[in-house]
Amino acid sequence: MKVWPLIPRAQAQEDVERALDHYRQQAGESVALGFVAALEQAFVHIARHPSTGSPRYAHELDLAGLRCWPLKRYPFLVFYLQQADHIDVWRVLHGARDIPSWLEGGDGDG
């Protein structure tokens, strides 16, 4: 089984940092560490099985190949595209947000 390298974009890294800050402030370090563990688990799954992510937003946004995968126990979705030699992680967004707006660079508050 091929394991694809994941390369998060700067915006995806910023999404993760914002989520971590939120969890640290609102729920404590152990919840923030749980978020990191769930994200790592999602990344491992995506790296091994990139085609299993949902193409729902690819249709809504007319972005061929865009897929998303949910984190376990956290309300976040990892948005990514499979490239020829890696997985391009676009965003890590809270599922209650206005996802199309956020992916297009807006500030959609859902």
Side-chain angles (χ1 to χ4, degrees):
M1 161 186 3
K2 179 173 180 158
V3 177
W4 298 78
L6 270 73
I7 302 176
R9 290 183 176 207
Q11 188 62 55
Q13 293 173 339
E14 290 174 21
D15 294 337
V16 170
E17 288 300 320
R18 270 194 300 276
L20 283 172
D21 289 345
H22 170 78
Y23 283 126
R24 283 186 183 117
Q25 293 173 6
Q26 300 298 317
E29 191 66 24
S30 65
V31 175
L33 291 174
F35 173 78
V36 170
L39 183 62
E40 288 174 354
Q41 185 179 25
F43 279 3
V44 167
H45 177 86
I46 293 166
R48 291 183 178 158
H49 311 284
S51 64
T52 59
S54 171
R56 172 187 172 194
Y57 292 102
H59 301 299
E60 286 187 33
L61 297 168
D62 197 27
L63 290 171
L66 181 70
R67 293 190 176 269
C68 67
W69 186 259
L71 270 61
K72 289 186 178 176
R73 297 182 305 278
Y74 290 83
F76 282 80
L77 300 168
V78 178
F79 290 87
Y80 62 94
L81 284 168
Q82 184 175 357
Q83 303 294 344
D85 60 348
H86 70 281
I87 303 296
D88 184 9
V89 178
W90 277 30
R91 301 293 303 261
V92 179
L93 298 175
H94 193 286
R97 298 290 184 176
D98 178 359
I99 299 295
S101 176
W102 276 67
L103 282 172
E104 291 172 353
D107 62 358
D109 287 327

